[in-house]
Amino acid sequence: MLALPVVASCVQQGDLGRPAPTAWNSLIDAAGTLAARERGEPSSFFPYTDDERILRDRSWRYLMPARDRSLFDNALDNLTRARVLPAEWRLSDPRAYLDAILAEPFRSPVSRYRRLSDDLTADGRLIPAFAETAARVVRADLTRLRSLPFIRTLDDRDVRSAAMRVAENRCLIAWVRRETAARSDSYRTALEHLLVAVPSEEAVAAERALAFLDSRRRLLDPLLPADAESRCGLAPAPEEGPQAGLVTKG
């Protein structure tokens, strides 16, 4: 059983919210690989390819909360992102984002709507780059698997490590896909609350930003089978029924 001190330094961030290249964050990532292996989750001995490393960098935004929480909670979220803690220990809370923005000292309700729109738009804009990298990783993994029967110098450890890396990559993509759906659900919860509590014309822009995010996250659907999340032991994404427009115009 791995035991690591939870301190604020483990959540230092670099550009785009990704982990800063510190010795502590490197230790967290290495510990996550070992912890995942101990739990029987896919974990490979192979080094990352350039695209696999970029994929993990780009996943950071979606595996961490949309809004900062306490230092302790942020540290736990980082340990989860790195797989030191299992993904399913953290229950999805659709109200978490709403509670976070309500706790921030805004002068006007309009500022909350604008923060919501900004977060929605930022999430949506980064999804295509993640999807493009994920598609390259999926193609490379198919090449890796197809080549295995024809390479005679590999031992059982190499073959297993190759299979584990493919599973690692697919489960990471599935995890991000699940988290983008959960984010959309939490953003919609926040918009619904704000619309009832403090109606504003800014709700129109926020609803458009929500539609933008939902259209972008559909780019992740073709990358993996529909049941990839359950195969990876992840809870299913929030169910999506028909979504009527929130803001009535006219």
Side-chain angles (χ1 to χ4, degrees):
M1 186 76 174
L2 289 171
L4 289 174
V6 179
V7 297
S9 60
C10 75
V11 291
Q12 290 177 337
Q13 295 183 4
D15 61 319
L16 297 177
R18 293 177 290 188
T22 64
W24 174 255
N25 282 324
S26 297
L27 175 62
I28 289 293
D29 289 338
T33 299
L34 294 174
R37 190 174 300 147
E38 286 291 320
R39 292 193 300 269
E41 296 175 6
S43 182
S44 175
F45 292 101
F46 287 163
Y48 293 129
T49 66
D50 289 343
D51 277 336
E52 287 171 345
R53 193 169 297 282
I54 293 170
L55 186 74
R56 281 151 180 80
D57 285 344
R58 293 193 180 279
S59 72
W60 168 274
R61 180 177 182 89
Y62 304 103
L63 302 185
M64 295 292 285
R67 291 280 101 210
D68 282 343
R69 305 193 293 169
S70 69
L71 286 177
F72 179 75
D73 285 336
N74 279 343
L76 290 180
D77 288 324
N78 192 35
L79 292 173
T80 304
R81 187 274 316 166
R83 300 204 298 167
V84 174
L85 298 175
E88 292 310 292
W89 83 270
R90 183 179 60 191
L91 298 177
S92 179
D93 179 5
R95 282 190 58 94
Y97 176 83
L98 171 63
D99 293 341
I101 62 170
L102 289 178
E104 294 182 12
F106 289 114
R107 288 185 176 182
S108 163
V110 169
S111 299
R112 289 191 167 92
Y113 278 107
R114 290 177 178 171
R115 171 59 60 82
L116 172 60
S117 294
D118 288 346
D119 288 342
L120 281 160
T121 302
D123 275 1
R125 284 177 175 169
L126 291 176
I127 287 176
F130 177 87
E132 289 173 8
T133 304
R136 292 197 301 270
V137 168
V138 169
R139 289 195 298 269
D141 281 341
L142 289 175
T143 299
R144 174 184 274 147
L145 293 176
R146 288 169 181 163
S147 69
L148 287 177
F150 304 101
I151 300 177
R152 299 180 181 180
T153 57
L154 299 179
D155 57 24
D156 289 344
R157 184 175 182 272
D158 290 329
V159 172
R160 176 176 173 77
S161 204
M164 288 296 100
R165 176 51 48 80
V166 171
E168 262 188 286
N169 290 336
R170 290 181 180 179
C171 287
L172 175 60
I173 297 167
W175 191 7
V176 169
R177 189 169 71 176
R178 197 274 303 267
E179 291 303 317
T180 59
R183 279 204 179 194
S184 176
D185 188 44
S186 67
Y187 288 140
R188 188 177 183 87
T189 297
L191 177 56
E192 290 173 344
H193 176 89
L194 292 175
L195 186 61
V196 172
V198 283
S200 168
E201 292 182 357
E202 291 292 331
V204 176
E207 187 174 26
R208 288 173 180 163
L210 178 60
F212 171 71
L213 172 62
D214 284 338
S215 68
R216 286 295 181 89
R217 66 186 182 84
R218 298 300 178 204
L219 296 173
L220 304 177
D221 289 344
L223 296 173
L224 298 172
D227 63 347
E229 287 80 359
S230 61
R231 290 185 184 183
C232 293
L234 298 169
E239 291 187 11
E240 296 183 62
Q243 300 284 7
L246 292 175
V247 184
T248 301
K249 309 167 189 66

